[in-house]
Amino acid sequence: MKVSLILGVVFSFLSAVLAKELELEAGNWKNKNYLRTIDLSRAYVQETCLIEAENLDSKPQDVYYFTVNDGFDVIGNISLFEVSVSNNLKVDVENVLEGVYKLKLPAPVAANSVVEIKVKYTYTNTIAPFPAKIEMGDTQKLLLKLNKFVFSPYATSHYTLVFNGISKGQEMELVLSNPEEYGVTKNAPDMRPRVENKTFVYGPSMAEITPYTVQPMGLLYFHNKPLTKAFRLDRAIWIPASDTEMLNIEEYYELTNAAAELKSGFSRVDWMKGRYETTKNHWALSHLQFPLTKGNLFQDYYFTDKVGMVSSHKILSKTLFLQPRFPVFGGWKYNFTLGWNNPVKNYVHKVVSTPDTYIVRFPVLNSIEDISYDSVSLDFYLPEGAELLKVASPVPYENVEVGNELSYLDVSKGHVKVSLKFKNLIDSLNGKEVLLMYKYTKASFWFKALKISGFVFVGLMSYYILNFINIDITSK
Amino acid sequence: MVTSKPQEKLFGVRVETIRSLLRVIIFISIAGAAISSRLFSVIRYESIIHEFDPWFNFRATKYLVTHSFYDFLNWFDDRTWYPLGRVTGGTLYPGLMVTSGVIWHILREKLALPVDIRNICVMLAPAFSGLTAIATYFLTKEMKDSNAGLLAAIFMGIAPGYISRSVAGSYDNEAISITLLMATFYFWIKAMKLGSIYFATLTALFYFYMVSAWGGYVFITNIIPLHVFVLLIMGRYSHRLYTAYSTWYALGTLASMQIPFVGFLPIRSNDHMAALGVFGLLQLFSFGFYVKSKVTGKQFRNFLVFSSIFVSFLGVSALFALTALGWIAPWTGRFYSLWDTNYAKIHIPIIASVSEHQPTAWPAFFFDTNMLIWLFPAGVYLCFQELRDEHVFIIIYSVLGSYFAGVMVRLMLTLTPIICVSAAIALSKMFDVYMNLVDVLKSNGEDNSEETGSGKKSKAKRPSTNDKLFSIVSKLAVLLSFAFYLVYFVLHCTWVTSNAYSSPSVVLASRGPDGSSSIIDDYREAYYWLRMNTPEDAKVMAWWDYGYQIGGMADRTTLVDNNTWNNTHIATVGKAMCSSEEVAYDILKKHDVDYVLVIFGGLLGYSGDDLNKFLWMVRISEGIWPEEVHERDFFSDKGLYKVDGEASKTMKDSLMYKMSYYRFTDLFGGRDGIDRVRNQAIPLSQSPKLNVLDEAFTTQNWLVRIYKVKDLDNVGRDLHSATKFDESANDMKRKRIIKKPALDLRE
């Protein structure tokens, strides 16, 4: 039995549109148990939902719709979305609409049996400092706005909400200016918080929660760390044409700190007296830490910005520390460039079966710890005359652009530039690797070398020949 | 010795071929030495633009390569001299920017080398210094021979007097101008010697390039006519001279007028009148010679007397009349200060306030040229001995160059080339004599018929064995001592370049207590903060020294900069800095100032800070507002320049004082603050309060402090009482916040 859910009263605006357009065929499920864990230790929000779903239908079903626990447009940009089922089989995820995912389970679930689904997703641009402007010595408090209940197309019978990674928190009543528009649920069950094992726990609530329950809530918590954010990151990887050992990587960051802003101007006296730089317990961003890994040692790195070299940097205990020219407070910006070398053999491999074909395996990010990225462009510069065969990424990208870029001694069309555009990434995507396959023949290598030497030869010859022309006007 | 027998061969190769090969190798080595000795700063620091003026040139170059050439010439810059703006395209010498722009385009489009424009700008001066050495070689070769030429080239390559203005990163007009100066002079000598239109045209061409590159072109405009004039007086008129000068003057003047900044100056300004006068005189001479060839001697004498009286009367009265009518511009202030070193101090404080416009201290000559300075008169003396037409040029150049170098430190630069040339002439002459061991050795054996005529000794009485030994020993002694001098000269040049002239001044080097070197990068810290964290149209007020740097690095609008074209505007900034808060606030608001930037060296011990320049600000603004600003008020009762407890009230109330010491004493934990530059204690009780400004940013070592100008109070109080109210309210508010219950949030 398929039930068309058109629940106009409790729908959020978004879902209403969705339901009308799709005639959402949600199937007949019930959330027997819904454990929602929110990790707030980082600059973004990580939410893990453990769902025990029961098939109420008479037939086996294999499609479960998951909606992000929002309901009143408060969740910013969703960056990572991972689903796993108890037996670790592959789940097909289709992002039907913003915040709505269609999960195709690996096997149909029989009637009245239970499936355990684990959904993990991360969102950025949702937490904000409150108050937004504080003094330098104050401790920063962040406000997370969230839906206190489950925003699911199905009814939920058993619900727990857990907050992780906070030292001190406080629930705030959140009054919306237009509760009608979002359809705030009036008779939601009452849930009171308690502290348990360094976590902040609500529930479990035994009362049945109706589908699409919306109950806005604010959580104010102490977080004395910067909220590092990159508006933009351009990663350039220059893949050499010949058998050199090193590969050059250059990153350009446009960085900001989403933490609290300074109430008054920056006072160096207070900054020096507070020793915030050495204790590193402050919401101003004074250090950037890049962890060194086995494959990536930041050899010959350089750290510059638009006015030249920055001298404050060092490698200490397997971490590359960069110190921006000034501590970055909330709302301040800092743009810089970091470049380094890495052995080619770590990344580029020759395909044995097909001639002249190479595979590049390169991480999406070599990230700073605890950061979110709004937009990332991963640019591979293949040798001049190379041909892109295939590109694959474990992280979904917006689009791929293939173009040309003229670089040193490029005498024909230039390096082949393959750029992958990503949106809303976070540092935990560090290990994910993009695969890229290209074809580069020995012929195009020699063609380029010969073309350059040809030009030099023509230049010298023409100078030699010009010397023979007699422009003397005196008669001998 | 240059002439050799055509058939002479060494290992089967013609000697001429070997000689030219060696010459090329020597040239390459000289250019290599010249370039590499200028790279200290790049190696020690980075590829960065130095000092102040180069930042403007760099910014203009970037404008040129991102816009079209005509946009560049019509560039109206609204990001400087707010709110006036500057007609930048029409008030700069475009030669430098166009040169690097052309190089950039050629490298990028023709040679497939997309080099960053900054690196081209940084490396331009060293590259051109290599060319200067070669041009000097050719010039000196005309004076004596190629041996002297090579010596002059190597001297020119490493003489600190020239390096001071051409290290890597010193991207200033002088970087290419000295090359052009030497090239122009070489072609002039060549043209004058041969009477060749071809070379005269080349002279004009390089003269045009020079005009487009540096205001110092006036030096050429005057020295060539003077050379011709002296030759005429010496009775050395010739058709060659006539051809060379007329060609150069006509073409060069027309060409120079194509530069927008120069425009009609060549026919209107007094600086250029000498060239015009000599041009006229030359025509008269030529006419006179024509008449002389047609009439008898007596008639000609009468003709000469009458016509010369008539013509000089006519010329002088025309000059006076035109100047009086305003058709010819009178001389500029900078010109007067060339003749009277006290002129600037009295009339134009803004010129006097620049350290490079001060008279040169005599040790500077030794410092900048070392042994060349005492070889220099010897070279000039040798020129007097021979006194060919071109030697007259050397003599004139030496006299003028020495005088100007004595008047202004920066003109040391124009003296250095002639010192190198003269010293090379002297040294090579000496080497000619003392290195000639051939006849000594030859006459040692049997009498040889193949004696070359060049050795003077061979003509003397045949010396005995004892004498020969003596002469060899004396020759060796002289040669060895000069070899020592030369080695020492190279060491000195390297030392001076490395220690005195290779600091970018944007970045300061310091040594920690453990001897480790560290970098003080406060300027860039502040400029980059401005660039990143202020609105793009923010107006920054700072003393004019930092105008170009703020424009180049912080990319923000400034009120005044190093161009100093508007004295009143600079005086306004000076007034704001030296007045009380109320007066200053008025000025700041009227000029839409958002941020005020001061340099404060008190914590670090950096003596070039704004408080040490403060008296110049006072003097310059006193020049415009003598009733409101008085220099005397800034001195203590005893007449001393004090910032401690004895400082005068005006001093303590001035905006500059307050901005420099705002919260400075807080650093010293309840004791008086110590200013390390002036070695004075700032009393804790005297810690200044600011009402109209907020501290916005202070750099790590307090070198740069930036303040934000407060907005007008939104309930109409004056800012003084508003600040007081806030302070008292703050204490109450703090207590209240603690008691506040959980907040309700409203969206």
Side-chain angles (χ1 to χ4, degrees):
Chain A
M1 190 179 79
K2 287 174 183 171
V3 183
S4 295
L5 295 170
I6 308 171
L7 303 167
V9 191
V10 288
F11 261 21
S12 81
F13 181 67
L14 176 81
S15 311
V17 173
L18 154 82
K20 272 178 203 151
E21 277 181 2
L22 281 187
E23 283 290 300
L24 181 65
E25 297 172 341
N28 193 357
W29 294 88
K30 183 183 185 183
N31 298 328
K32 257 186 88 182
N33 201 346
Y34 201 118
L35 172 64
R36 189 175 164 208
T37 313
I38 296 177
D39 185 358
L40 293 173
S41 61
R42 300 190 151 251
Y44 43 86
V45 187
Q46 284 173 304
E47 189 168 330
T48 315
C49 301
L50 262 175
I51 308 165
E52 273 177 44
E54 188 183 3
N55 184 1
L56 294 186
D57 213 13
S58 53
K59 290 180 292 196
Q61 294 186 106
D62 63 350
V63 173
Y64 179 90
Y65 276 86
F66 180 83
T67 42
V68 169
N69 292 311
D70 187 347
F72 59 109
D73 288 351
V74 74
I75 286 186
N77 304 319
I78 294 183
S79 109
L80 182 70
F81 191 87
E82 286 174 328
V83 185
S84 58
V85 193
S86 46
N87 44 14
N88 261 336
L89 287 167
K90 190 172 151 48
V91 182
D92 275 337
V93 181
E94 190 193 334
N95 191 355
V96 199
L97 249 183
E98 206 187 321
V100 183
Y101 295 87
K102 180 180 176 184
L103 314 181
K104 184 103 166 46
L105 301 174
V109 178
N112 294 324
S113 38
V114 173
V115 63
E116 210 168 274
I117 306 169
K118 185 181 171 190
V119 180
K120 198 174 162 186
Y121 61 101
T122 313
Y123 40 96
T124 56
N125 300 337
T126 306
I127 34 184
F130 183 85
K133 289 187 178 185
I134 55 181
E135 298 286 348
M136 196 188 285
D138 296 347
T139 309
Q140 177 182 244
K141 279 176 266 181
L142 297 182
L143 177 69
L144 169 71
K145 295 178 197 165
L146 76 161
N147 186 354
K148 196 170 177 180
F149 291 95
V150 174
F151 190 72
S152 171
Y154 317 108
T156 306
S157 51
H158 203 110
Y159 172 61
T160 318
L161 173 63
V162 180
F163 292 100
N164 259 340
I166 51 176
S167 56
K168 225 188 222 179
Q170 181 183 23
E171 183 178 340
M172 311 286 266
E173 193 186 330
L174 202 62
V175 183
L176 300 181
S177 57
N178 46 353
E180 293 76 29
E181 189 190 320
Y182 291 114
V184 172
T185 316
K186 300 232 165 54
N187 48 359
D190 189 37
M191 278 168 91
R192 293 274 163 198
R194 68 201 144 82
V195 176
E196 198 176 84
N197 267 342
K198 290 185 181 172
T199 53
F200 202 59
V201 184
Y202 283 83
S205 146
M206 303 300 187
E208 173 151 316
I209 299 165
T210 48
Y212 298 114
T213 302
V214 177
Q215 179 66 268
M217 156 190 168
L219 182 79
L220 191 68
Y221 62 100
F222 283 69
H223 188 90
N224 220 16
K225 282 188 266 183
L227 303 182
T228 318
K229 196 174 105 168
F231 294 120
R232 175 174 161 198
L233 165 64
D234 292 347
R235 274 159 75 76
I237 301 107
W238 292 85
I239 294 160
S242 55
D243 298 329
T244 45
E245 288 202 343
M246 288 296 178
L247 176 122
N248 177 245
I249 301 147
E250 190 173 277
E251 294 187 328
Y252 168 71
Y253 279 87
E254 284 181 7
L255 211 67
T256 189
N257 186 356
E261 289 180 24
L262 275 177
K263 205 169 194 176
S264 47
F266 170 69
S267 162
R268 182 62 70 171
V269 183
D270 295 342
W271 182 252
M272 286 163 95
K273 279 186 172 171
R275 300 180 183 282
Y276 303 116
E277 218 160 79
T278 36
T279 55
K280 287 181 191 169
N281 179 26
H282 198 267
W283 38 274
L285 178 65
S286 56
H287 286 88
L288 306 170
Q289 301 185 12
F290 291 81
L292 264 60
T293 54
K294 213 176 144 202
N296 187 24
L297 291 170
F298 288 103
Q299 290 180 48
D300 319 317
Y301 69 92
Y302 54 89
F303 174 29
T304 62
D305 57 26
K306 287 178 178 170
V307 291
M309 247 166 50
V310 191
S311 55
S312 45
H313 53 76
K314 61 182 162 213
I315 288 185
L316 252 186
S317 60
K318 296 206 163 182
T319 312
L320 168 64
F321 287 91
L322 303 184
Q323 190 181 355
R325 287 189 192 274
F326 45 83
V328 183
F329 284 87
W332 288 13
K333 299 177 192 75
Y334 187 71
N335 298 1
F336 68 95
T337 302
L338 172 71
W340 70 94
N341 286 336
N342 240 346
V344 175
K345 62 178 191 311
N346 291 359
Y347 300 119
V348 184
H349 307 276
K350 203 167 186 316
V351 178
V352 184
S353 51
T354 35
D356 300 327
T357 311
Y358 300 84
I359 280 189
V360 185
R361 209 183 63 202
F362 199 81
V364 178
L365 294 171
N366 290 97
S367 182
I368 304 173
E369 287 166 358
D370 196 9
I371 184 178
S372 65
Y373 302 86
D374 278 0
S375 115
V376 176
S377 171
L378 185 63
D379 305 331
F380 292 94
Y381 292 89
L382 307 178
E384 197 174 22
E387 185 193 341
L388 175 71
L389 297 177
K390 235 185 257 173
V391 63
S393 162
V395 184
Y397 48 81
E398 302 280 305
N399 60 331
V400 187
E401 285 167 15
V402 182
N404 289 94
E405 170 117 350
L406 281 168
S407 178
Y408 289 91
L409 293 177
D410 280 353
V411 281
S412 41
K413 273 166 71 187
H415 279 61
V416 178
K417 179 182 175 185
V418 182
S419 57
L420 278 71
K421 310 278 183 201
F422 296 93
K423 283 234 146 65
N424 304 317
L425 300 189
I426 48 166
D427 58 315
S428 58
L429 295 169
N430 231 344
K432 309 273 187 203
E433 281 169 331
V434 170
L435 290 171
L436 183 143
M437 194 190 255
Y438 69 94
K439 190 172 183 174
Y440 184 62
T441 56
K442 278 271 172 261
S444 32
F445 174 70
W446 286 113
F447 178 68
K448 180 171 178 173
L450 285 176
K451 201 165 173 184
I452 294 170
S453 38
F455 277 123
V456 174
F457 180 74
V458 168
L460 291 176
M461 275 315 280
S462 44
Y463 175 73
Y464 180 69
I465 290 165
L466 280 176
N467 267 342
F468 282 112
I469 300 171
N470 187 6
I471 49 165
D472 207 346
I473 51 167
T474 52
S475 54
K476 289 262 161 84
Chain B
M1 67 189 322
V2 186
T3 53
S4 63
K5 285 162 198 157
Q7 294 308 316
E8 258 183 290
K9 285 191 174 185
L10 197 68
F11 306 118
V13 187
R14 277 173 53 217
V15 170
E16 258 323 287
T17 318
I18 295 178
R19 192 167 278 173
S20 55
L21 182 72
L22 278 178
R23 198 167 294 149
V24 168
I25 290 172
I26 291 172
F27 273 149
I28 290 172
S29 325
I30 288 175
I35 291 167
S36 54
S37 69
R38 284 165 170 80
L39 297 184
F40 278 111
S41 63
V42 171
I43 292 161
R44 271 193 213 141
Y45 299 94
E46 59 187 280
S47 165
I48 187 180
I49 306 288
H50 290 197
E51 309 266 342
F52 303 102
D53 287 16
W55 277 102
F56 166 74
N57 297 327
F58 177 49
R59 183 163 161 258
T61 312
K62 278 205 283 190
Y63 187 89
L64 173 66
V65 297
T66 47
H67 296 72
S68 77
F69 179 65
Y70 290 103
D71 281 346
F72 177 67
L73 287 184
N74 293 323
W75 182 21
F76 179 81
D77 190 359
D78 56 355
R79 295 182 75 77
T80 53
W81 295 93
Y82 185 84
L84 308 169
R86 175 185 169 193
V87 193
T88 312
T91 56
L92 52 63
Y93 292 101
L96 182 71
M97 298 94 193
V98 172
T99 306
S100 30
V102 166
I103 294 174
W104 184 78
H105 278 293
I106 289 178
L107 286 181
R108 173 168 288 255
E109 280 138 32
K110 301 287 180 307
L111 300 177
L113 294 171
V115 183
D116 188 6
I117 185 72
R118 175 173 53 95
N119 290 327
I120 290 175
C121 293
V122 167
M123 296 307 294
L124 193 75
F128 267 81
S129 72
L131 297 178
T132 311
I134 291 167
T136 313
Y137 163 80
F138 284 110
L139 178 66
T140 318
K141 196 181 157 200
E142 292 304 315
M143 301 299 160
K144 193 171 169 286
D145 52 22
S146 62
N147 292 357
L150 287 176
L151 274 173
I154 185 69
F155 289 158
M156 196 63 206
I158 59 172
Y162 175 39
I163 286 187
S164 68
R165 290 287 173 155
S166 62
V167 289
S170 170
Y171 180 56
D172 213 341
N173 293 332
E174 289 95 324
I176 63 169
S177 307
I178 297 301
T179 314
L180 302 175
L181 193 74
M182 295 324 275
T184 316
F185 286 160
Y186 163 66
F187 286 120
W188 163 248
I189 296 295
K190 200 84 183 158
M192 183 213 66
K193 263 181 163 179
L194 301 175
S196 142
I197 291 181
Y198 170 65
F199 279 109
T201 310
L202 280 179
T203 315
L205 213 64
F206 274 86
Y207 173 70
F208 165 67
Y209 195 179
M210 176 76 181
V211 174
S212 77
W214 193 33
Y217 75 89
V218 182
F219 185 57
I220 304 183
T221 321
N222 286 299
I223 201 168
I224 292 182
L226 190 61
H227 182 207
V228 174
F229 186 67
V230 170
L231 287 179
L232 291 182
I233 288 178
M234 290 169 78
R236 293 193 179 183
Y237 171 82
S238 67
H239 290 299
R240 282 176 287 123
L241 196 65
Y242 179 83
T243 316
Y245 187 79
S246 302
T247 313
W248 167 74
Y249 181 73
L251 289 178
T253 306
L254 279 178
S256 69
M257 286 163 77
Q258 307 309 310
I259 304 297
F261 192 28
V262 176
F264 282 96
L265 279 183
I267 53 167
R268 295 190 60 177
S269 123
N270 267 336
D271 302 353
H272 300 74
M273 281 306 122
L276 181 62
V278 168
F279 181 65
L281 193 66
L282 208 55
Q283 309 308 321
L284 293 177
F285 251 81
S286 160
F287 181 64
F289 270 82
Y290 173 73
V291 172
K292 194 181 174 184
S293 66
K294 298 287 173 194
V295 296
T296 62
K298 202 181 171 205
Q299 281 172 318
F300 180 68
R301 207 166 298 132
N302 290 339
F303 167 76
L304 196 67
V305 170
F306 282 111
S307 59
S308 55
I309 291 172
F310 176 68
V311 166
S312 44
F313 174 74
L314 204 69
V316 171
S317 52
L319 190 67
F320 274 98
L322 287 173
T323 311
L325 281 172
W327 284 90
I328 300 178
W331 279 285
T332 54
R334 243 168 254 222
F335 182 78
Y336 282 125
S337 60
L338 271 184
W339 305 108
D340 178 4
T341 44
N342 274 324
Y343 180 87
K345 211 170 261 176
I346 301 162
H347 298 281
I348 337 166
I350 198 148
I351 291 183
S353 74
V354 181
S355 63
E356 62 180 22
H357 290 162
Q358 303 294 331
T360 318
W362 66 264
F365 288 96
F366 285 92
F367 190 70
D368 274 357
T369 48
N370 193 251
M371 70 178 247
L372 303 182
I373 194 71
W374 51 262
L375 280 171
F376 167 50
V380 177
Y381 172 75
L382 288 172
C383 288
F384 266 113
Q385 292 258 296
E386 217 167 325
L387 210 60
R388 292 203 305 262
D389 287 356
E390 60 267 30
H391 293 133
V392 175
F393 183 79
I394 297 285
I395 293 161
I396 293 170
Y397 188 175
S398 311
V399 173
L400 283 183
S402 307
Y403 176 76
F404 289 138
V407 173
M408 243 187 224
V409 177
R410 67 188 292 201
L411 293 182
M412 194 68 208
L413 182 69
T414 47
L415 177 66
T416 308
I418 194 64
I419 290 186
C420 292
V421 171
S422 301
I425 291 173
L427 201 61
S428 110
K429 183 81 186 169
M430 208 202 61
F431 279 162
D432 285 351
V433 176
Y434 282 87
M435 265 182 155
N436 198 350
L437 297 173
V438 179
D439 42 287
V440 178
L441 296 174
K442 268 188 181 164
S443 49
N444 199 13
E446 291 158 63
D447 197 49
N448 208 322
S449 58
E450 278 188 28
E451 268 180 20
T452 47
S454 64
K456 282 169 194 159
K457 298 253 164 178
S458 62
K459 288 197 171 102
K461 219 177 77 182
R462 216 173 141 183
S464 68
T465 329
N466 232 356
D467 283 350
K468 263 185 251 161
L469 190 69
F470 182 70
S471 95
I472 289 174
V473 168
S474 65
K475 279 181 177 186
L476 275 179
V478 170
L479 287 178
L480 283 177
S481 62
F482 267 89
F484 166 75
Y485 283 133
L486 284 173
V487 169
Y488 182 71
F489 174 69
V490 173
L491 288 178
H492 174 83
C493 290
T494 319
W495 180 81
V496 169
T497 309
S498 139
N499 286 294
Y501 295 135
S502 294
S503 162
S505 90
V506 179
V507 186
L508 310 169
S510 79
R511 292 217 173 268
D514 56 340
S516 62
S517 66
S518 62
I519 278 174
I520 292 171
D521 212 351
D522 282 34
Y523 282 110
R524 284 194 289 179
E525 180 185 345
Y527 295 144
Y528 205 54
W529 183 83
L530 276 175
R531 183 168 178 161
M532 288 285 118
N533 300 315
T534 59
E536 224 168 299
D537 60 346
K539 284 97 195 162
V540 181
M541 184 178 97
W543 189 234
W544 62 264
D545 294 21
Y546 314 105
Y548 279 165
Q549 290 188 346
I550 294 173
M553 283 188 264
D555 196 19
R556 291 294 172 267
T557 309
T558 52
L559 263 67
V560 290
D561 65 27
N562 312 44
N563 187 239
T564 64
W565 66 273
N566 189 326
N567 192 35
T568 317
H569 215 50
I570 290 178
T572 309
V573 172
K575 190 183 170 193
M577 294 288 194
C578 65
S579 315
S580 66
E581 285 194 87
E582 288 73 30
V583 179
Y585 190 67
D586 239 27
I587 300 175
L588 296 177
K589 274 289 149 196
K590 275 182 187 155
H591 290 83
D592 295 345
V593 176
D594 297 303
Y595 293 91
V596 186
L597 182 147
V598 287
I599 308 294
F600 172 67
L603 186 70
L604 193 66
Y606 175 73
S607 60
D609 69 349
D610 275 352
L611 268 177
N612 277 2
K613 294 174 184 169
F614 191 39
L615 283 181
W616 287 112
M617 304 183 201
V618 175
R619 275 174 210 153
I620 289 169
S621 57
E622 189 180 4
I624 305 287
W625 291 281
E627 296 86 32
E628 295 173 60
V629 184
H630 306 283
E631 192 180 339
R632 181 64 190 82
D633 295 347
F634 291 86
F635 290 102
S636 68
D637 294 338
K638 288 177 191 153
L640 297 169
Y641 185 63
K642 285 280 193 182
V643 291
D644 57 5
E646 291 172 32
S648 71
K649 190 174 176 309
T650 322
M651 182 71 179
K652 282 190 258 185
D653 281 345
S654 68
L655 202 63
M656 174 58 72
Y657 184 88
K658 287 189 167 188
M659 286 192 292
S660 294
Y661 292 114
Y662 180 68
R663 297 197 66 189
F664 178 62
T665 49
D666 289 15
L667 272 178
F668 294 84
R671 275 166 294 156
D672 290 354
I674 305 292
D675 184 319
R676 285 204 196 151
V677 174
R678 287 153 284 268
N679 284 322
Q680 296 175 24
I682 313 300
L684 191 61
S685 55
Q686 200 181 300
S687 184
K689 295 245 176 317
L690 275 171
N691 299 308
V692 300
L693 301 173
D694 272 329
E695 186 180 8
F697 189 77
T698 299
T699 57
Q700 204 177 352
N701 301 297
W702 292 57
L703 201 53
V704 187
R705 309 197 69 182
I706 301 170
Y707 291 86
K708 190 174 183 356
V709 180
K710 278 188 188 168
D711 279 337
L712 292 169
D713 193 62
N714 49 12
V715 279
R717 298 168 295 180
D718 70 294
L719 289 168
H720 205 82
S721 49
T723 317
K724 262 203 183 127
F725 179 79
D726 282 353
E727 270 170 12
S728 58
N730 255 348
D731 299 336
M732 282 153 54
K733 221 193 279 171
R734 256 181 218 140
K735 278 165 208 148
R736 217 170 52 224
I737 283 175
I738 297 164
K739 283 177 195 157
K740 239 181 179 176
L743 298 157
D744 285 350
L745 300 174
R746 289 195 165 268
E747 267 228 334

